[in-house]
Amino acid sequence: MPGPSSCRWWQSWRPGPRTSRRCRTQRFYKKAAAFVLRAVGKHSPQLAQAVVDCGALDTLVICLEDFDPGVKEAVSGALGFIARHNAELSQAVVDAGTVPLLVLCIQEPEIALKGVAASALSDISKHSPELAQTVVDAGAIAHLAQMILNPDANLKHQVLMALSQIAKHSVDLAEMVVEAEIFPVVLTCLKDESDHVKKNASTLIREIAKHTPELSQLIVNAGGVAAMIDCIGSCRGNIRLPGIMMLGYVAAHSENLAMAVIISKGVPQLSICLSEEPEDHIKAAAAWALGQIGRHTPEHAKAVAVTNALPVLLSLYMSAGSTEDLQTKCKKAIKNILQKCTYLPALEPFLYDAPPNILKHVVGQFSKVLPHDSKARQLFVTSGGLKKVQEIKAEPGSILQEYINSINNCYPEEIVRYYSPGYSDTLLQRVENYQPPTK
């Protein structure tokens, strides 16, 4: 029976030169093999499926338990490139037992390994709620949330993207992310020097805000709307896009949340994006967000109208150079805002420039306001609005004709006749035909 000391041989054992060389060689081969599999699998789902079909996942899982962090980093990268293509490949990666090991990898001290493992978890989570739930069940959220304030920008943007891919699928998953106490910590990332970090932080907040009014209210209470508006003002291009959409989602939920965006001066910033951004898809997002803000009440609509956003929306809608999506978004936003807008100075230019399908909404708003506002009726005459309405050619019995009739009923008949087309000719004809009485 060996004594206690003989059982502790490993305490004094040291690898010899040959053993060390063999270990280094094995690590080199494992990393090189993982890089090759990643290089093959990243190009297409078909090539990634070929990697899976040859049984590579079982070997990669074994290597994911290697002591060398470089090997685990290379393997995590290969798994992420396989999983990112589609849900079927992601499921194959999950079925191989990789998720718990990837969660262990994000707890390792090496920053590079943390980042690649977080990216792999993101690639797995993005395809479906079920795959995201698998990542959540492995305990990933708590560890990811702890790394939001890590000073390494590359790690932060991978962590933020992983949380976004989890939160986007459902209310329950979004609430689990929120319960990891990411607010208000994540808001500091909106001021990060890295554009990738800003964009992914904005994306995470957007994916949470879109689900329910309660989650949006939580973001508002944490100061998220004001922080997002500052972020939009500090960056350009696609970095702005998730923030613009987040403001639209928040405003869409309720009057109060839309008013929170207005109070935080979100409308002027969105109007700037609408006017300044060269890309049509960003303009379309800004148009959509403005429509979500202005569609609630006359007060909301006026807040949008006073920023001079309506003429820009109309110009983009009528421009032949605008994409179909941008035109659709602008048309919908104009309709949403006009149907609530009672601020007549913003409406009047539309009488001269708007196409018929927009014009009927403008005339409709005048027909609602003028019967109840004597000062507005007077201004409508002196500004030339009443004269312009008489020039509109509407089909008898149409809704537009009903709106015109409602406006005309607000004025004496002789005033309406005076501003009607051809009335001056009628007067001249009467003058010409008039015979003064003889003495």
Side-chain angles (χ1 to χ4, degrees):
M1 190 81 175
S5 60
S6 65
C7 295
R8 292 197 291 271
W9 59 269
W10 49 269
Q11 291 181 338
S12 59
W13 180 81
R14 296 287 184 274
R18 186 177 301 174
T19 303
S20 297
R21 285 196 298 272
R22 185 166 62 249
C23 290
R24 286 197 297 270
T25 302
Q26 287 178 347
R27 290 198 297 270
F28 172 78
Y29 284 149
K30 289 176 182 178
K31 288 168 66 175
F35 282 130
V36 170
L37 292 173
R38 183 181 77 173
V40 173
K42 73 179 183 179
H43 292 291
S44 70
Q46 292 76 21
L47 288 171
Q49 187 63 55
V51 173
V52 173
D53 292 341
C54 74
L57 289 180
D58 293 336
T59 305
L60 288 171
V61 170
I62 293 171
C63 292
L64 205 53
E65 299 182 79
D66 198 278
F67 287 109
D68 185 79
V71 172
K72 287 189 279 193
E73 180 185 342
V75 170
S76 298
L79 291 170
F81 274 101
I82 294 170
R84 68 176 48 183
H85 291 293
N86 56 49
E88 290 74 21
L89 287 166
S90 278
Q91 190 62 57
V93 170
V94 169
D95 292 342
T98 59
V99 172
L101 296 173
L102 287 170
V103 173
L104 288 175
C105 286
I106 63 174
Q107 301 173 59
E108 295 283 355
E110 289 79 15
I111 297 297
L113 174 56
K114 286 175 180 284
V116 175
S119 178
L121 291 171
S122 174
D123 289 328
I124 292 170
S125 300
K126 70 181 182 180
H127 297 292
S128 71
E130 293 75 20
L131 288 165
Q133 188 65 55
T134 301
V135 172
V136 172
D137 291 342
I141 289 179
H143 299 295
L144 290 169
Q146 290 173 3
M147 293 186 283
I148 288 177
L149 287 183
N150 191 288
D152 185 84
N154 184 61
L155 175 58
K156 271 193 291 192
H157 96 78
Q158 298 290 5
V159 165
L160 291 165
M161 182 51 67
L163 291 171
S164 302
Q165 300 291 8
I166 293 170
K168 74 178 184 180
H169 292 292
S170 69
V171 176
D172 290 339
L173 289 170
E175 288 178 345
M176 289 180 185
V177 172
V178 170
E179 287 168 3
E181 299 182 354
I182 64 167
F183 290 103
V185 176
V186 72
L187 301 181
T188 61
C189 296
L190 297 175
K191 299 179 180 180
D192 199 273
E193 293 180 359
S194 167
D195 284 342
H196 291 296
V197 173
K198 284 182 180 179
K199 184 178 180 181
N200 287 358
S202 300
T203 302
L204 172 56
I205 299 169
R206 178 195 68 191
E207 299 298 353
I208 293 170
K210 73 181 184 182
H211 289 294
T212 65
E214 291 76 20
L215 287 170
S216 284
Q217 187 65 59
L218 183 148
I219 293 169
V220 171
N221 294 344
V225 167
M228 187 65 75
I229 292 166
D230 289 342
C231 178
I232 294 171
S234 69
C235 53
R236 296 291 181 272
N238 281 319
I239 310 300
R240 280 175 158 176
L241 183 59
I244 291 169
M245 295 178 67
M246 175 267 184
L247 295 179
Y249 281 128
V250 170
H253 285 304
S254 72
E255 293 179 16
N256 291 337
L257 288 168
M259 188 54 68
V261 176
I262 292 171
I263 292 171
S264 299
K265 296 182 171 51
V267 176
Q269 191 61 65
L270 290 171
S271 297
I272 290 171
C273 295
L274 185 69
S275 301
E276 291 185 355
E277 283 294 334
E279 297 291 336
D280 277 8
H281 68 283
I282 302 177
K283 289 179 181 287
W288 170 78
L290 288 166
Q292 297 306 312
I293 295 169
R295 70 182 179 87
H296 291 287
T297 69
E299 187 178 2
H300 291 79
K302 182 179 179 181
V304 176
V306 296
T307 64
N308 206 36
L310 284 171
V312 180
L313 288 168
L314 182 62
S315 174
L316 292 171
Y317 168 62
M318 298 180 67
S319 171
S322 296
T323 62
E324 184 179 349
D325 180 60
L326 176 56
Q327 289 178 330
T328 301
K329 294 287 197 307
C330 287
K331 178 183 176 183
K332 183 67 174 176
I334 292 169
K335 183 178 177 182
N336 285 343
I337 297 164
L338 290 181
Q339 287 179 337
K340 293 294 181 180
C341 187
T342 58
Y343 181 62
L344 300 187
L347 296 178
E348 200 157 320
F350 278 70
L351 291 172
Y352 301 88
D353 302 326
N357 59 333
I358 300 293
L359 184 62
K360 67 179 181 180
H361 298 295
V362 179
V363 178
Q365 289 306 105
F366 278 107
S367 72
K368 294 175 186 177
V369 176
L370 293 176
H372 312 289
D373 191 333
S374 59
K375 185 176 181 181
R377 289 197 295 271
Q378 182 178 351
L379 288 173
F380 194 60
V381 173
T382 57
S383 66
L386 182 62
K387 181 177 184 295
K388 182 60 182 175
V389 167
Q390 306 313 310
E391 296 171 358
I392 297 173
K393 293 179 174 60
E395 294 183 8
S398 64
I399 295 177
L400 179 56
Q401 186 60 58
E402 290 180 12
Y403 290 152
I404 293 173
N405 293 341
S406 297
I407 292 173
N408 289 343
N409 290 336
C410 296
Y411 297 95
E413 187 177 345
E414 59 270 23
I415 295 296
V416 174
R417 279 203 310 270
Y418 179 79
Y419 287 106
S420 297
Y423 184 67
S424 59
D425 295 335
T426 303
L427 288 179
L428 288 173
Q429 186 66 38
R430 289 177 62 184
V431 169
E432 184 177 337
N433 297 335
Y434 180 72
Q435 296 294 331
T438 57
K439 293 185 179 179

